[in-house]
Amino acid sequence: MKTVILTFDDGLENQYSVAAPILRQYGFKATLYVGQWIAGVYPDAPEHCISKKQLLELHEQGFEIGNHTMGHPSVHRCTDAQLHEELEGVENLLTELGLPRPVTFAYPGGAFSDAAQQVLRERGY
């Protein structure tokens, strides 16, 4: 048996309305990586962002909700303190929404760094 990991970044509404139904049809789950742009939670979240209700439904269906930082910075440019703040913001937000604390992380823009990896380890990712 082979394993495939499906991930979606940025918390877009079409991940709920388009991708999730197709994945469910074939018996797949995925991880959705979100930040602060959750419709109905932040007043300035664009309309094309996923909503709190949609995130909760996907979680109940077995989809994982992961951390993608609050503001989507290039983490290789963040200080350790800034990255801790970015991660903690999403952790707190998801907890406030009734979702579990995330345990996986997707690098915004794919900007990897050794320093960020250390911060992620310290936070249990």
Side-chain angles (χ1 to χ4, degrees), residues 66 68 93 97 102 107:
H68 198 46
L93 174 62
L97 295 177
Y107 289 88

Side-chain angles (χ1 to χ4, degrees), residues 17-90:
S17 62
V18 178
I22 294 169
L23 292 170
R24 282 193 306 273
Q25 177 183 349
Y26 292 99
F28 289 101
K29 304 287 189 273
T31 301
L32 284 71
Y33 290 100
V34 299
Q36 69 180 341
W37 304 115
I38 298 171
V41 175
Y42 284 90
D44 56 348
E47 290 182 21
H48 63 275
C49 290
I50 200 161
S51 72
K52 170 188 173 180
K53 180 179 182 275
Q54 292 167 332
L55 277 179
L56 291 169
E57 284 181 29
L58 290 173
H59 169 70
E60 290 170 7
Q61 295 169 13
F63 288 77
E64 178 188 9
I65 311 301
N67 198 328
H68 198 46
T69 69
M70 284 297 277
H72 208 273
S74 294
V75 298
H76 69 285
R77 294 187 179 135
C78 290
T79 65
D80 288 359
Q82 289 169 326
L83 185 54
H84 277 285
E85 186 176 317
E86 289 283 339
L87 296 167
E88 185 175 9
V90 174

